[in-house]
Amino acid sequence: MYVAVKGGERAIDNAHAWLAAERRGDAAVAELSLAQIRAQLSLAVNRVMAEGSLYDADLAALAIKQSRGDLIEAIFLIRAYRTTLPRLGASVPVETAQMAVIRRVSATFKDLPGGQVLGPTFDYTHRLLDFKLAAEGEALAAPATAAADLADVPHVTGFLNRDGLIEANPRSAAQPADLTREPMELPASRALRLQAITRGDEGFILSMAYSTQRGYGRTHAFVGELRIGMVAVEMEIPELGFAVEIGEIELTECETVNQFKGSKTEPPQFTRGYGLVFGQTERKAIAMSLVDRSLRWAELGEENSGAPAQDEEFVLMHADNIQATGFLEHIKLPHYVDFQSELELVRKLRAEVLAGTEAAE
Amino acid sequence: MTTENHRKDWMGLLARAKPARLAALFPDLPDHSLLRAPEVGAVMVRGRIGGDGSAFNLGEMTVTRCSLALPDGRVGHAHVQGRDKTHALRAAVLDALLQGGQASEVIATLRAEEAAQRLARAEKAAATRVEFFTLVRGEDQ
């Protein structure tokens, strides 16, 4: 039985108008500007850029305002917008070794060239609510400065690599697969996995990484290095015949160092997990590198303990919060016909069972 | 620097410039004919696996491109970060002018301002560098 469902236009229009009014909130309170969101909710903006998979802080700020601060809704808006943009090309891979670092810490080496630079971190704060922030217009002390060295900061893993103590990263000139162009196929290359994880839901990736730390798949990881800073983005311009910088973006990069007892072909050495995420997003970058390392079990000849974080299909197919929310939330939309058939089936089964019980009595 | 490197250098500065700042530095556009009208699009930014390995797709960024010609035939190209069409137009005009040695003061100003901003950021980072000191233990004495 097919029942055409029409109607509800007036209800929908009115709902949208009310939504707009609720978004604005109390008219006696000043309206939020995009510049305020961009400047003062910058980590929310970063998350929307990372999971929206589009680096544009103004658009992310707009999406956050439009979505009333619902970040998954904001990410949805960004994903929808990006499908309208023509693809102008792909960049030359960014060189994170040339990052202008504002934060760079290593949990494996205390004294390292370039030093440990804390940057604007929440670490070492006491997580006590600061009621001074509740009062507006508080004068702020200017951050301290010190003589700066603008030289490139070398990657920590490079030191281990010199002694052959850590695996080298193979480098091929092949074009990486792009899940925004072709549907993801499993098993996925490491490049495709990294693309899926870097745009995946932070909470999901965090939980997957945490599960490996608690023993569901063993990846005892050290943070070899965590760095945040600006990198230049270059692209080959066909009209020019050479690459030029088309902008610069802020990235968070995490390299984890994991034990590896060796295989038939490789001597015992350290292996790596890698995380690279748009913006200042270090929880995500650390989690990404743990999940990346966990998914490499087959390549490294490790045991599959059946842990969720070792299951490529489980991780990659459930990491995207837009796919997840789309499928999850569609069940609240009209399913009247589906449900009608369920209802008839349950009634029929009940009638049979009740008839059977009466017959037995 | 070679001609190509000079051009790379100014194109980078123009791409990274704040649109409002560039408009303030170079408000009036000379006559030009558009070869490709300003167009907003996306560029897929790539990273390297492990920081130095094979490429992977990190995510896209918004970019606006534009190509034009000056009446004397000089052609200017621009690919600039963001979605500001006048930014791309202005950058393309400047790319054409700079090939004839004009408007170099705009580039000099952008370079100086960018260098100052980068230094200021690096100086704040430097102040958060950890200076470890080792405590003298009993057995060392």
Side-chain angles (χ1 to χ4, degrees):
Chain A
M1 181 179 60
Y2 177 74
V3 184
V5 178
K6 265 180 81 74
E9 286 92 342
R10 191 180 49 83
I12 289 169
D13 287 345
N14 292 343
H16 288 174
W18 194 14
L19 171 66
E22 288 287 307
R23 174 190 299 126
R24 176 60 185 86
D26 183 353
V29 177
E31 187 176 346
L32 260 180
S33 72
L34 297 192
Q36 285 172 332
I37 294 171
R38 207 185 140 155
Q40 297 173 45
L41 296 177
S42 56
L43 299 188
V45 167
N46 285 178
R47 181 169 177 187
V48 170
M49 294 198 298
E51 295 172 35
S53 201
L54 185 68
Y55 197 99
D56 187 315
D58 291 326
L59 285 179
L62 172 61
I64 290 168
K65 180 171 178 173
Q66 187 176 334
S67 65
R68 307 172 67 192
D70 178 339
L71 296 189
I72 291 183
E73 183 71 21
I75 292 159
F76 199 163
L77 293 168
I78 294 297
R79 290 276 187 92
Y81 175 82
R82 74 146 283 280
T83 62
T84 67
L85 294 174
R87 176 73 66 83
L88 303 184
S91 82
V92 175
V94 294
E95 295 297 344
T96 53
Q98 292 163 21
M99 179 186 282
V101 297
I102 57 158
R103 172 164 168 77
R104 188 262 200 151
V105 292
S106 171
T108 53
F109 296 104
K110 180 166 67 73
D111 298 303
L112 67 169
Q116 309 258 4
V117 177
L118 300 182
T121 180
F122 288 123
D123 295 353
Y124 317 110
T125 63
H126 293 126
R127 268 71 182 215
L128 299 173
L129 277 173
D130 180 1
F131 289 98
K132 289 202 296 292
L133 290 175
E136 288 171 42
E138 187 84 4
L140 206 61
T145 59
D149 178 2
L150 296 174
D152 289 345
V153 180
H155 275 123
V156 170
T157 43
F159 309 137
L160 288 169
N161 205 3
R162 275 206 295 268
D163 300 329
L165 289 175
I166 193 164
E167 61 170 337
N169 292 311
R171 191 154 167 169
S172 88
Q175 295 291 307
D178 181 355
L179 62 81
T180 69
R181 291 293 151 128
E182 311 98 31
M184 191 158 53
E185 280 188 26
L186 301 177
S189 62
R190 191 173 173 199
L192 199 58
R193 293 200 300 252
L194 290 175
Q195 184 184 13
I197 298 169
T198 194
R199 76 209 296 264
D201 183 77
E202 179 174 313
F204 178 81
I205 303 299
L206 169 66
S207 292
M208 283 290 114
Y210 181 43
S211 74
T212 71
Q213 291 184 294
R214 290 194 64 253
Y216 289 84
R218 207 158 29 95
T219 58
H220 186 66
F222 295 97
V223 172
E225 181 169 359
L226 177 72
R227 55 167 66 191
I228 301 178
M230 302 295 286
V231 297
V233 182
E234 283 196 1
M235 185 169 73
E236 294 277 349
I237 308 297
E239 295 89 337
L240 301 175
F242 53 87
V244 298
E245 278 185 32
I246 56 173
E248 58 183 353
I249 59 176
E250 190 170 43
L251 296 177
T252 303
E253 180 184 54
C254 178
E255 280 210 86
T256 50
V257 177
N258 299 65
Q259 274 179 25
F260 177 55
K261 57 181 188 286
S263 66
K264 288 192 188 93
T265 53
E266 298 293 334
Q269 60 181 356
F270 291 108
T271 55
R272 306 167 171 217
Y274 190 63
L276 186 67
V277 186
F278 281 160
Q280 293 186 28
T281 42
E282 70 182 54
R283 184 185 303 116
K284 173 78 171 283
I286 299 169
M288 176 175 174
S289 54
L290 263 62
V291 174
D292 168 50
R293 177 61 185 78
S294 176
L295 291 174
R296 296 182 62 208
W297 65 271
E299 169 199 348
L300 295 169
E302 293 172 336
E303 182 198 353
N304 178 8
S305 63
Q310 287 181 309
D311 185 334
E312 177 180 77
E313 182 175 344
F314 184 84
V315 174
L316 300 187
M317 290 307 192
H318 301 108
D320 192 284
N321 52 26
I322 302 310
Q323 284 173 2
T325 204
F327 198 60
L328 181 99
E329 295 201 37
H330 99 280
I331 64 172
K332 72 192 172 186
L333 299 175
H335 280 66
Y336 307 136
V337 179
D338 293 345
F339 189 68
Q340 188 71 35
S341 74
E342 298 268 318
L343 204 57
E344 279 173 23
L345 182 63
V346 171
R347 281 189 176 129
K348 184 162 163 271
L349 291 172
R350 275 176 67 90
E352 283 168 11
V353 170
L354 291 174
T357 320
E358 280 166 18
E361 278 169 4
Chain B
M1 266 201 281
T2 63
T3 317
E4 180 182 309
N5 282 342
H6 275 296
R7 198 164 177 207
K8 279 178 77 135
D9 175 58
W10 77 54
M11 290 181 96
L13 279 163
L14 291 167
R16 297 190 301 271
K18 294 272 176 295
R21 183 64 188 136
L22 191 59
L25 287 172
F26 189 76
D28 302 317
L29 293 177
D31 279 348
H32 59 267
S33 54
L34 289 174
L35 302 174
R36 179 160 62 199
E39 179 191 17
V40 178
V43 167
M44 177 54 85
V45 180
R46 288 184 174 157
R48 291 196 177 283
I49 298 174
D52 62 358
S54 302
F56 72 99
N57 290 308
L58 179 62
E60 290 167 304
M61 66 187 273
T62 52
V63 170
T64 305
R65 67 180 174 185
C66 177
S67 297
L68 48 76
L70 298 181
D72 65 8
R74 271 181 284 166
V75 172
H77 296 292
H79 278 74
V80 302
Q81 186 165 12
R83 291 165 294 113
D84 191 313
K85 289 183 178 180
T86 48
H87 180 194
L89 190 66
R90 202 165 259 117
V93 164
L94 283 162
D95 177 47
L97 289 172
L98 285 156
Q99 291 171 62
Q102 294 163 274
S104 55
E105 69 286 352
V106 174
I107 292 302
T109 307
L110 288 178
R111 191 195 320 282
E113 288 176 357
E114 185 181 81
Q117 280 163 10
R118 286 180 175 180
L119 183 65
R121 204 165 155 80
E123 284 175 341
K124 279 186 248 177
T128 68
R129 186 184 311 279
V130 180
E131 307 292 348
F132 287 107
F133 50 90
T134 309
L135 298 174
V136 177
R137 296 187 303 183
E139 64 264 35
D140 296 333
Q141 287 171 352

